[in-house]
Amino acid sequence: MFLGTHSPRLDDKGRLFLPAKYREELSGGLVITKGQERCLYVFPMAEFQRITEALRAAPVTEKAVRAYSRVFFASASDEIPDKQGRITVPQPLRAYAGLSKECTVIGANTRLEIWDAKSWETYLEQEEQAFSDVSEEVLPGIL
């Protein structure tokens, strides 16, 4: 499970230090791909394989399944962190997410998300009220 908010910097070569607490879990490989709201999703290889199997089982006759799969897989890049725990974020993904030097990496349960730091701040400001409003719908009787 991935938790927390981290503030790594993107270097001039497009490399990003993974949060130290997740380096061991991700050391065997990971997949970076486009996420919703112009962030990047980072999946451990096993989780990416689970999602792949779920999409494989979905009917390709469904237009939404085809469209989602195309974007999800076409933008995916498999990476292995270097000895210092850095991954290279491919240029097309950096451009998609509008990444600058200042990044925010958040834990999002089964994945990490990489955001441009200013985009993450804006997202939080816009979604704070919605977060409060939907807790009963998303987790009825839990919180």
Side-chain angles (χ1 to χ4, degrees), residues 10 14 16 31 49-51 56-57 60 92 101 108 111-112 133:
L10 196 63
L16 185 80
V31 176
Q49 289 169 344
R50 186 192 67 75
I51 293 166
R56 184 176 295 162
V60 294
K101 274 197 178 302
R111 69 178 183 271
L112 293 172
D133 294 343

Side-chain angles (χ1 to χ4, degrees), residues 33-86:
T33 192
K34 289 180 177 178
Q36 278 77 29
E37 292 86 31
R38 296 254 176 211
C39 72
L40 302 178
Y41 290 168
V42 178
F43 295 102
M45 196 57 74
E47 179 64 10
F48 189 80
Q49 289 169 344
R50 186 192 67 75
I51 293 166
T52 298
E53 290 304 316
L55 285 168
R56 184 176 295 162
V60 294
T61 53
E62 290 284 333
K63 186 177 186 208
V65 171
R66 290 191 312 272
Y68 186 85
S69 292
R70 287 174 181 144
V71 173
F72 188 75
F73 291 110
S75 64
S77 178
D78 56 332
E79 303 288 330
I80 296 178
D82 68 13
K83 291 183 190 312
Q84 287 126 354
R86 296 177 300 194

Side-chain angles (χ1 to χ4, degrees), residues 5-47:
T5 303
H6 312 272
S7 301
R9 293 183 137 197
L10 196 63
D11 72 14
D12 293 336
K13 295 180 181 178
R15 296 177 303 192
L16 185 80
F17 279 99
L18 293 169
K21 66 193 277 183
Y22 301 125
R23 287 182 193 162
E24 186 176 330
E25 183 174 352
L26 297 170
S27 65
L30 55 92
V31 176
I32 308 169
T33 192
K34 289 180 177 178
Q36 278 77 29
E37 292 86 31
R38 296 254 176 211
C39 72
L40 302 178
Y41 290 168
V42 178
F43 295 102
M45 196 57 74
E47 179 64 10

Side-chain angles (χ1 to χ4, degrees), residues 3 20 31 48 50 55-56 58 71 76 80 94-95 101 109-110 113 118 121 135-136 139 143:
L3 305 170
V31 176
F48 189 80
R50 186 192 67 75
L55 285 168
R56 184 176 295 162
V71 173
I80 296 178
R94 292 193 313 261
K101 274 197 178 302
N109 194 0
T110 60
E113 293 182 359
K118 288 182 181 173
E121 285 178 30
S135 64
E136 257 320 295
L139 298 167
L143 295 175

